């Protein structure tokens, strides 16, 4: 999925120094995945890190009541870099902004190239593992492969357990979900979950979640793809299943659609001054959503993403208005 690499008019570490403080008193700053970059239209003032308006909101994980911040982050694309490069160095600041701003939940996968290795190295280097609610996935077709993959994931992530282990896109879920439950029983993960990323997977995901009742489900949801709110979200509320949202930016395509479009007149009333914040705030405004996981490799965009998790949420009328804008 797409990061907003070129969507802010200023970029790189020139802005990093402005974005390093805690969110409640810090200075201002994509998607849980990778894709080509595209130009983003935003004023230089909005692109700069400016003081945030409040603390990062949290939501409870239904199965335990544990609170997690509503803005997490993904690693696909953004963490697929090489050590020693400017992009790698920028990620050090991205993580600092994230943790200092109140973020905790980072979602990754062994399918994301070198992302696990990069994330593990940066968490170890920054001494941040204990600040992190680490979510990863099983993406294998048989049990033997899953066991090998799990061992390799722990090695690459430089940890002996994760907070959340998910079956990636329902891949061989009949085999992998019981294995995830075994690992949970062993204390290797605190929570288990299932993921998908497309509307054509919603019905199957709903069927399996109803039958298996995992701790988490992860699914796509955005102003342009609001279908999850029709059945998956009510089901999650009914069963007490936490929800992670991916593709809140539609792989970056939403930014191209708003390149010349001003924010709604009511945006300032909900503490929003960028489209990225509005797209993220839309996602977390549904009460079923536990957190949204945008990815970025830029410190200023990380701070911008975090601002989407502060201040008032959107009313139902505001959510409906946004959906109508992107039909």
């Amino acid at each position: 999925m797409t990061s907003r690499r070129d969507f802010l008019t200023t970029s790189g570490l020139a802005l990093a120094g402005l974005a390093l403080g805690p969110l409640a008193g810090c200075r201002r700053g994509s998607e849980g995945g990778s894709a080509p970059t595209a130009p983003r239209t935003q004023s230089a003032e909005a692109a700069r890190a400016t003081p945030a308006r409040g603390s990062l909101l949290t939501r409870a994980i239904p199965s335990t009541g544990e609170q997690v911040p509503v803005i997490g982050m993904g690693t696909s694309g953004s963490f697929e870099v090489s050590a020693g490069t400017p992009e790698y160095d920028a990620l050090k600041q991205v993580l600092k902004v994230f943790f200092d701003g109140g973020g905790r939940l980072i979602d990754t996968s062994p399918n994301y190239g070198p992302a696990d290795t990069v994330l593990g190295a940066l968490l170890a280097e920054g001494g941040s593992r204990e600040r992190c609610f680490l979510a990863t996935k099983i993406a294998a077709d048989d049990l033997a492969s899953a066991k090998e993959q799990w061992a390799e994931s722990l090695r690459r992530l430089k940890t002996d357990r994760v907070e959340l282990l998910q079956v990636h896109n329902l891949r061989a879920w009949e085999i992998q979900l019981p294995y995830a439950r075994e690992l949970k029983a062993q204390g290797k993960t605190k929570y288990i979950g299932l993921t998908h990323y497309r509307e054509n997977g919603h019905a199957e995901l709903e069927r399996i979640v109803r039958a298996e009742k995992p701790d988490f489900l992860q699914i796509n949801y955005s102003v342009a793809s609001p279908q999850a709110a029709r059945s998956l979200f009510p089901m999650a509320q009914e069963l007490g299943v936490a929800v992670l949202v991916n593709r809140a930016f539609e792989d970056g395509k939403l930014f191209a659609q708003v390149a010349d479009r001003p924010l709604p007149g009511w945006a300032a009333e909900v503490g929003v001054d960028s489209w990225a914040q509005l797209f993220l705030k839309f996602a977390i405004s549904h009460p079923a959503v536990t957190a949204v996981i945008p990815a970025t490799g830029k410190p200023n965009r990380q701070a911008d993403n975090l601002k989407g998790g502060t201040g008032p949420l959107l009313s139902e009328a505001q959510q409906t208005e946004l959906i109508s804008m992107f039909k």
Side-chain angles (χ1 to χ4, degrees):
M1 286 184 269
T2 303
S3 71
R4 306 192 312 271
R5 219 166 267 176
D6 298 317
F7 279 48
L8 294 176
T9 57
T10 51
S11 62
L13 294 176
L15 295 178
L18 297 175
L20 299 183
L23 185 64
C26 88
R27 317 284 156 191
R28 269 204 16 133
S30 107
E31 186 89 67
S34 67
T37 58
R40 172 180 178 177
T41 300
Q42 187 180 0
S43 69
E45 181 178 355
R48 287 195 297 268
T50 57
R53 296 178 178 86
S55 299
L56 194 58
L57 302 173
T58 64
R59 288 262 169 86
I61 298 170
S63 63
T64 63
E66 179 181 0
Q67 295 283 327
V68 292
V70 294
I71 305 295
M73 66 181 296
T75 64
S76 178
S78 57
F79 277 70
E80 294 180 49
V81 303
S82 299
T85 62
E87 292 81 9
Y88 183 92
D89 291 337
L91 286 172
K92 297 177 185 179
Q93 302 304 322
V94 165
L95 287 174
K96 178 170 176 56
V97 171
F98 182 70
F99 289 125
D100 288 354
R104 287 186 61 214
L105 193 156
I106 301 179
D107 179 80
T108 189
S109 169
N111 277 13
Y112 300 161
D116 280 1
T117 299
V118 170
L119 176 60
L122 290 173
L123 289 176
E125 181 180 340
S128 303
R129 174 62 185 95
E130 296 308 315
R131 302 174 72 183
C132 180
F133 184 106
L134 185 56
T136 190
K137 305 178 182 78
I138 298 175
D141 294 322
D142 57 67
L143 184 57
S145 297
K147 290 181 176 180
E148 292 177 6
Q149 185 184 72
W150 169 245
E152 179 66 6
S153 290
L154 293 181
R155 185 190 70 79
R156 295 173 67 188
L157 290 167
K158 298 183 183 297
T159 189
D160 60 357
R161 89 279 181 212
V162 299
E163 281 62 53
L164 170 60
L165 181 60
Q166 305 155 99
V167 178
H168 201 172
N169 298 338
L170 304 180
R171 183 172 175 180
W173 72 267
E174 300 95 333
I175 298 171
Q176 308 310 347
L177 191 59
Y179 179 51
R181 291 190 194 281
E182 288 181 23
L183 293 173
K184 180 179 179 180
Q186 296 169 14
K188 297 297 185 180
T189 184
K190 188 173 184 180
Y191 304 100
I192 60 171
L194 297 160
T195 83
H196 212 285
Y197 69 106
R198 296 177 61 179
E199 184 181 357
N200 62 12
H202 288 196
E204 184 181 13
L205 181 61
E206 180 181 0
R207 177 181 65 81
I208 297 169
V209 169
R210 283 194 177 279
E212 299 292 337
K213 299 179 178 60
D215 300 298
F216 276 79
L217 68 85
Q218 180 183 144
I219 197 62
N220 61 305
Y221 181 62
S222 76
V223 296
S225 298
Q227 296 85 356
R230 298 173 187 167
S231 58
L232 287 173
F233 290 179
M235 175 200 63
Q237 291 175 293
E238 173 193 342
L239 299 178
V241 175
V243 174
L244 297 184
V245 165
N246 59 43
R247 294 195 166 188
F249 300 144
E250 290 288 326
D251 293 350
K253 296 174 185 176
L254 289 177
F255 294 112
Q257 295 183 47
V258 298
D260 301 314
R261 183 181 296 182
L263 289 166
W266 44 261
E269 299 173 11
V270 293
V272 162
D273 56 25
S274 79
W275 278 105
Q277 294 170 30
L278 191 56
F279 295 147
L280 295 174
K281 185 157 287 194
F282 169 84
I284 65 171
S285 291
H286 195 291
V289 173
T290 307
V292 60
I293 49 171
T296 183
K298 301 290 186 179
N300 56 311
R301 292 175 204 154
Q302 183 65 276
D304 192 57
N305 287 345
L306 290 171
K307 282 190 66 179
T310 67
L313 298 177
L314 306 187
S315 68
E316 289 188 13
Q318 289 165 338
Q319 294 173 61
T320 300
E321 179 182 336
L322 284 175
I323 291 170
S324 69
M325 291 170 61
F326 293 89
K327 284 183 177 178

